[in-house]
Amino acid sequence: MTVKLTYYGHSTFGADVDGTKLIIDPFFAPNNPVATVTVDEVEADFILITHGHSDHIVDAVALAKRTGAQCIANFEIVGWLNNQGIDNTHPLHIGGGNSFPFGRVKMTIAHHGSGLPDGSYGGNPGGFLINFNDGTDVLFAGDTALTYDMRLIGEVGGVDLAVLPIGDNFTMGPDDAVIAAEFIKAKRVVPCHYNTWPYIEQDPNAYADKLDAIDIDCTVMDVNDSLTV
Ligand code: NI
Ligand code: MN
């Protein structure tokens, strides 16, 4: 089994797990200023949504309606999606996990907000710790501050790959994201949530150098780049 990860820009990723297609935090062109792919150009079997902010959910309804993909999100966001006519949903909440055909998904703690685009209450924000069926562990941290709870993930064995926000301003910045990578015991890090807008301008290669200095691999993905986890 292989997990192929594709970066669409900002915090939007695709994961192709032996043909099963996941989209994480759908925010495509033209809504996403750094994306070149539109929501009509991607396929999905599962859509994972970390929190209710528009830069993570704005294309979810269109994608779910066209593809029939199952949406995985917190209970409140699932209720909001149900109200938009999306019936194929699976609610999770922080600390809970569930086994899906591609692996087990556990919702992790994120310190952030989760208000939905129309002002509806979006519950608490989270991240997703995915244990794929081949044993590969990938953490999509979501939008979050550095939190001491990240140590818990490291203490139970760490992850093969952590996708971490580094933009600062709305989430942790590069220095905190270095500590996060240590806490999580990530073997490899992919940075995200930077250079989408002036508020979150960062140099991802400088971040990669800081991780390199402590022997953690970092892969800076350009928009539309793919890697095999
Ligand atoms: Ni956010
Ligand atoms: Mn965001």
Side-chain angles (χ1 to χ4, degrees):
M1 190 183 112
T2 59
V3 180
K4 184 182 160 201
L5 199 68
T6 301
Y7 184 47
Y8 293 106
H10 194 57
S11 286
T12 303
F13 288 86
D16 186 324
V17 189
D18 284 345
T20 298
K21 293 185 165 57
L22 282 57
I23 294 288
I24 297 98
D25 284 353
F27 179 48
F28 289 95
N31 295 311
N32 181 338
V34 296
T36 64
V37 171
T38 69
V39 71
D40 297 327
E41 296 176 289
V42 293
E43 291 307 319
D45 299 298
F46 295 91
I47 303 167
L48 289 77
I49 302 159
T50 59
H51 66 292
H53 290 165
S54 60
D55 57 318
H56 300 258
I57 201 174
V58 70
D59 289 316
V61 170
L63 183 58
K65 281 192 172 161
R66 179 174 58 82
T67 62
Q70 183 169 69
C71 292
I72 302 169
N74 75 26
F75 187 83
E76 291 83 356
I77 290 172
V78 159
W80 182 81
L81 290 167
N82 294 156
N83 289 337
Q84 320 280 317
I86 305 300
D87 296 324
N88 187 8
T89 51
H90 186 102
L92 288 176
H93 231 306
I94 290 168
N98 184 68
S99 292
F100 294 90
F102 56 88
R104 183 169 173 81
V105 179
K106 185 177 179 183
M107 197 167 176
T108 57
I109 291 169
H111 287 307
H112 192 68
S114 186
L116 285 154
D118 63 3
S120 297
Y121 177 62
N124 289 310
F128 294 112
L129 178 58
I130 305 178
N131 178 219
F132 289 102
N133 287 339
D134 67 352
T136 306
D137 296 309
V138 180
L139 174 69
F140 294 91
D143 284 9
T144 183
L146 172 65
T147 154
Y148 211 69
D149 295 295
M150 289 169 175
R151 289 191 86 122
L152 294 171
I153 296 171
E155 283 179 11
V156 295
V159 298
D160 297 293
L161 175 67
V163 177
L164 303 178
I166 65 159
D168 212 348
N169 196 79
F170 300 119
T171 67
M172 57 186 173
D175 289 342
D176 282 354
V178 168
I179 300 168
E182 290 183 294
F183 279 2
I184 293 161
K185 287 197 168 69
K187 293 192 182 84
R188 183 183 195 183
V189 172
V190 167
C192 70
H193 213 276
Y194 63 91
N195 292 355
T196 318
W197 304 286
Y199 280 135
I200 57 174
E201 275 179 17
Q202 295 296 339
D203 178 355
N205 295 309
Y207 174 67
D209 288 344
K210 288 178 185 180
L211 287 182
D212 186 55
I214 55 169
D215 291 324
I216 297 175
D217 287 335
C218 182
T219 303
V220 175
M221 297 179 78
D222 289 328
V223 172
N224 302 326
D225 271 1
S226 292
L227 63 78
T228 300
V229 179

